[in-house]
Amino acid sequence: MRLFISCLVVFAIAGCGKDKFTTAPQIKYLSISPNAWRAGNTSVDKDIAPKLKIRLTDAEGDVGFKPNSDTSWVFIRRTSNTTWDSLRLPAIAVTGKSFQADVEINLFEVMRYGNCPTGGPDLDTMYFELYLQDFAKNKSNIITTEDPVFYICR
């Protein structure tokens, strides 16, 4: 009986560790900061755009951006929208298989084309959904940001 229980515990522990690194990338929301963006900001303001921080794991480590070679993409949309935007995943120092890293994604390209409704509210509260694809086009899980970004219209 003890042998059976010991084997069951070993298989359970091995199974849990195995799920962390899968062929399809896995992402987890960590944070978004700053949480506000003013309408009319330009490319000069790119550095102050909200940055989305995620934890990324991938069994093969085939993620990131390699100039003239390969690119993995982040697909992102406002939860109130049906259209997905795509952004290149930043260059990441991948150290091999069973890769894990915290990645920061600048949302400037997504935020700069926001629009303020005529006669509408002065503030829009936005949440985002996102997923990514690795070099082999494996699609990650879809996550939703837990914290809002406030789009200031006036």
Side-chain angles (χ1 to χ4, degrees), residues 2 6 8 28 30 32 57-58 62 64 81 84 86 95 97-98 100 106 128 131-133 139 141 146-147 154:
R2 286 184 185 170
S6 297
L8 187 61
K28 178 183 176 189
L30 296 177
I32 194 162
T57 60
D58 186 66
D62 59 340
N81 197 346
W84 290 91
S86 60
T95 56
K97 298 187 183 292
S98 299
Q100 177 177 317
N106 188 316
F128 299 93
Y131 67 93
L132 62 88
Q133 284 185 337
K139 181 179 169 182
N141 55 311
E146 297 170 15
D147 305 306
R154 297 182 196 1

Side-chain angles (χ1 to χ4, degrees), residues 27 29 32 50-54 73-88 105-111 126-133 142-145 149:
I27 57 174
Y29 172 79
I32 194 162
K51 310 308 183 281
L52 174 64
K53 192 171 189 179
I54 59 172
W73 296 91
V74 176
F75 295 88
I76 188 166
R77 71 176 178 185
R78 291 174 49 179
T79 56
S80 61
N81 197 346
T82 58
T83 305
W84 290 91
D85 289 315
S86 60
L87 305 171
R88 274 194 327 225
I105 301 162
N106 188 316
L107 296 181
F108 171 74
E109 294 297 328
V110 176
M111 300 300 297
M126 298 186 287
Y127 292 89
F128 299 93
E129 290 181 323
L130 70 140
Y131 67 93
L132 62 88
Q133 284 185 337
I142 297 174
I143 61 171
T144 303
T145 57
V149 173

Side-chain angles (χ1 to χ4, degrees), residues 7-22:
C7 289
L8 187 61
V9 169
V10 168
F11 286 125
I13 291 171
C16 291
K18 208 174 186 184
D19 292 342
K20 186 173 183 180
F21 299 101
T22 59

Side-chain angles (χ1 to χ4, degrees), residues 1-7:
M1 184 62 159
R2 286 184 185 170
L3 179 61
F4 174 74
I5 292 172
S6 297
C7 289

